Amino acid sequence: MHEHNIEVKEILADTGYSSGEAMRSLADHSIEGYIPNIASYKKDRLEEGFIYDLENDRYTCKNGVHATFRCYEKLTKTRKLQKKIYRTSPEDCANCPIKSKCVNHMGTRRIKHSLDKPLYDQMHKQLESDKAKLFKKLRSSTVEPVIGSLINYTGMSRINVNGIKQANQCMIMAAFAYNLKKLLKCKVELWPKGAKLLKAA
C-alpha cells in the first residue's frame, strides 16, 4: 500500500484480529478500526451483580462488598492476554445470603478482566454506531463470501507451497478463477467489451 501511496484510514476485520496489541497499533497509526471483540470480553458484570468502579479500580456487588485489585495473572505461552484479578475478602462474604452461588471454595469471589479492557470498551462502543453496522454488512457481503467460497468449493483450505511469493501466486490464480466464474454467470450485456469478443470467438 505504501508503494502505491494508499493511505489506510479505516480497517474492518473479524474477531480473530481482536487484541489489545492490534487496537494500540491502530491508535498509533491514526487508523479507525471496526473489529468485534473477543468472545471472552464482557462489557460489564451487571448480570453477575457487580458494578465496576473505574475511579477506585474495584468491583462492588449489590450488597456493597468490594472486590479489590489483588494481582496480575501470569502470562503463559498459550495465554497471551494478561489480566487483572479482583477478589473479595472471606469476612465480607461470610454472611451473604447468596454466598453458596457466588463465592468459591475459599469463601471469596474472584473477577478477572484484561489489562486492555478500556480499549475493548472503546471498541464495543464504536461497534454500536450506525457506521459500524453498515461496514459489517459490507464486509459480510463482499469479503466473507469470497473466502468462504475459496475454502469450501475450490480447495483453498490449505496452500501447499513454500514461501510468501508462491502463496501470493496461488491466491492471485484463485481470485482470477473466482472472478471468471462470476463473470460467466453475468448477463452477456453486462460483460466488458473484451469478454464479449472472447465469447464470440
Side-chain angles (χ1 to χ4, degrees):
M1 293 183 178
H2 180 71
E3 292 176 359
H4 296 280
N5 296 317
I6 298 176
E7 183 181 358
V8 180
K9 294 183 178 180
E10 296 173 322
I11 283 182
L12 285 72
D14 59 26
T15 308
Y17 292 90
S18 176
S19 68
E21 182 181 2
M23 288 184 281
R24 284 192 296 272
S25 181
L26 291 175
D28 292 341
H29 293 85
S30 300
I31 298 175
E32 191 171 1
Y34 297 89
I35 308 174
N37 286 324
I38 53 178
S40 59
Y41 165 76
K42 293 183 179 180
K43 178 185 176 182
D44 52 50
R45 304 276 179 159
L46 294 178
E47 293 183 359
E48 302 172 32
F50 284 84
I51 297 176
Y52 180 62
D53 181 357
L54 178 61
E55 184 178 352
N56 296 301
D57 190 23
R58 66 187 182 188
Y59 284 89
T60 304
C61 77
K62 57 185 178 182
N63 292 324
V65 175
H66 303 302
T68 56
F69 169 66
R70 300 301 176 100
C71 61
Y72 293 102
E73 185 177 63
K74 294 181 180 179
L75 288 172
T76 64
K77 292 182 179 180
T78 57
R79 302 181 67 180
K80 297 181 180 180
L81 292 178
Q82 188 175 8
K83 298 182 179 180
K84 299 176 72 173
I85 298 177
Y86 300 79
R87 190 172 67 245
T88 61
S89 298
E91 298 80 14
D92 294 332
C93 299
N95 300 318
C96 180
I98 59 172
K99 176 182 176 181
S100 60
K101 298 180 180 180
C102 187
V103 303
N104 56 24
H105 66 283
M106 298 178 64
T108 65
R109 175 60 187 266
R110 285 174 41 132
I111 298 177
K112 296 189 290 186
H113 77 216
S114 170
L115 279 171
D116 297 314
K117 188 177 186 305
L119 295 175
Y120 288 110
D121 289 341
Q122 178 61 33
M123 183 62 70
H124 178 80
K125 183 178 179 180
Q126 190 159 308
L127 289 171
E128 291 182 328
S129 66
D130 292 336
K131 187 177 183 180
K133 294 176 182 177
L134 178 63
F135 279 168
K136 183 180 179 180
K137 291 182 179 180
L138 177 64
R139 182 169 61 87
S140 299
S141 62
T142 55
V143 179
E144 292 180 359
V146 176
I147 299 299
S149 297
L150 291 178
I151 292 174
N152 295 312
Y153 303 117
T154 60
M156 291 296 292
S157 58
R158 183 186 298 271
I159 299 178
N160 297 312
V161 296
N162 293 323
I164 189 68
K165 186 175 181 179
Q166 294 187 64
N168 281 338
Q169 292 176 352
C170 284
M171 291 306 301
I172 289 173
M173 291 303 297
F176 180 82
Y178 179 87
N179 289 331
L180 186 59
K181 286 183 67 176
K182 288 191 67 175
L183 180 63
L184 292 173
K185 290 180 180 180
C186 289
K187 294 182 179 179
V188 177
E189 294 77 14
L190 301 177
W191 284 19
K193 183 178 179 180
K196 290 180 181 178
L197 294 175
L198 183 64
K199 175 72 174 178

